[in-house]
Amino acid sequence: MNTGAYCRAVESHLCRKNDGHLIRIVGPAFELVCGWEEAGIPISVVERAIDRRYARYYASGPKRRPVRIEYCEPDVLDTFDEWRRAVGIGAAQPNDGESPTPVDAASSSRRRSLAAHLDEVASRLAAWPDRKDAAVAHAGSRVLAERVAQMASLVDAARSRATGLRGDARARVIEQLESLDGELLAGARAAADQGLMRDLRAEAAASLEPFRPRMAAPAFQEAVEAATDRLLVEHFRLPPLSYG
């Protein structure tokens, strides 16, 4: 995907989230999005970040005006940071001696609190599935629905005691979230057919292609599998439960 197609894809997703209200990506916004493309941020990551921004916007009360792409930048950086950790790609290591990009420097300095993370996860699990979203219209798998309901209950329980946690107690909640993430992924895998998995694996490999020259072949394959799992979770509009 070239830069023009990348920007058009971001613009199209922003338009859909704005209920059809068109906001052109031009000027400083265009330079911003070009920077994301140059940094290798996959389109799926940008779309998830926009979705995250809108989830908070709608939860805050009546919608006032369309959200511009510039307002999504913190979520794009956070989501890209999460994606890199999930697939096993460290912060900016393109060449020896090369300094981190502005994207790397900004994203590495951001981290939501555990309480804020649990609040967002609980909100998204409670709203799942969005019946208006065609991507999850067929996600009515009984197993997956039961798994989501179970996760929502457990996340609510963790949320009630997250504020002020320190040391071992905080570490136990984080470990629990990682375990729950695995269970939710297992439910998503059970709900997916072979065709879907094949398409997602191809998309995952394409998203990692910019990073391939600096990765050993086994590491690249592991990253593809991890990215495929993440795309599967995104396909069913499920929030990542793990923190950090």
Side-chain angles (χ1 to χ4, degrees):
M1 179 181 292
N2 60 34
T3 300
Y6 185 96
C7 290
R8 287 193 295 274
V10 173
E11 189 176 76
S12 295
H13 190 75
L14 191 66
C15 177
R16 288 192 293 272
K17 299 303 292 188
N18 275 318
D19 298 324
H21 187 100
L22 180 61
I23 296 181
R24 291 292 185 186
I25 296 178
V26 296
F30 178 76
E31 296 299 325
L32 176 66
V33 175
C34 285
W36 298 344
E37 191 268 340
E38 291 171 3
I41 302 181
I43 283 293
S44 62
V45 169
V46 177
E47 291 178 350
R48 173 175 276 274
I50 292 171
D51 293 347
R52 176 182 289 181
R53 177 67 182 88
Y54 269 84
R56 290 201 311 278
Y57 183 51
Y58 279 102
S60 66
K63 187 171 63 171
R64 295 173 295 279
R65 61 179 64 88
V67 173
R68 301 181 63 83
I69 193 63
E70 297 92 327
Y71 302 149
C72 301
E73 182 183 17
D75 290 286
V76 170
L77 300 181
D78 284 344
T79 308
F80 184 44
D81 208 27
E82 293 168 6
W83 178 83
R84 286 191 301 194
R85 291 197 300 273
V87 302
I89 298 175
Q93 302 169 339
N95 296 298
D96 291 342
E98 183 171 335
S99 59
T101 67
V103 168
D104 294 311
S107 62
S108 63
S109 65
R110 301 174 185 275
R111 180 64 61 85
R112 288 180 301 164
S113 69
L114 177 59
H117 172 72
L118 286 169
D119 284 345
E120 179 178 327
V121 168
S123 175
R124 293 185 60 186
L125 287 174
W128 189 93
D130 182 353
R131 296 301 182 186
K132 296 181 293 184
D133 195 331
V136 297
H138 67 289
S141 162
R142 182 176 58 84
V143 173
L144 182 56
E146 290 176 354
R147 204 63 70 87
V148 169
Q150 179 187 26
M151 297 304 106
S153 177
L154 293 171
V155 167
D156 277 337
R159 183 185 178 196
S160 67
R161 61 181 188 276
T163 303
L165 282 179
R166 296 290 185 274
D168 290 344
R170 186 174 186 274
R172 283 194 295 272
V173 170
I174 293 174
E175 289 175 3
Q176 181 188 22
L177 288 173
E178 291 178 357
S179 176
L180 296 179
D181 223 354
E183 294 181 32
L184 194 57
L185 175 60
R189 285 173 176 162
D193 58 36
Q194 291 183 354
L196 173 61
M197 293 302 299
R198 182 177 58 252
D199 292 344
L200 294 182
R201 190 167 286 104
E203 182 179 346
S207 72
L208 286 161
E209 196 60 36
F211 303 94
R212 189 169 191 165
R214 70 181 95 144
M215 301 174 71
F220 180 77
Q221 290 304 317
E222 289 179 8
V224 168
E225 292 307 311
T228 300
D229 285 342
R230 193 165 180 87
L231 285 172
L232 178 62
V233 168
E234 291 173 5
H235 175 82
F236 288 122
R237 299 294 189 264
L238 301 167
L241 305 187
S242 295
Y243 175 74

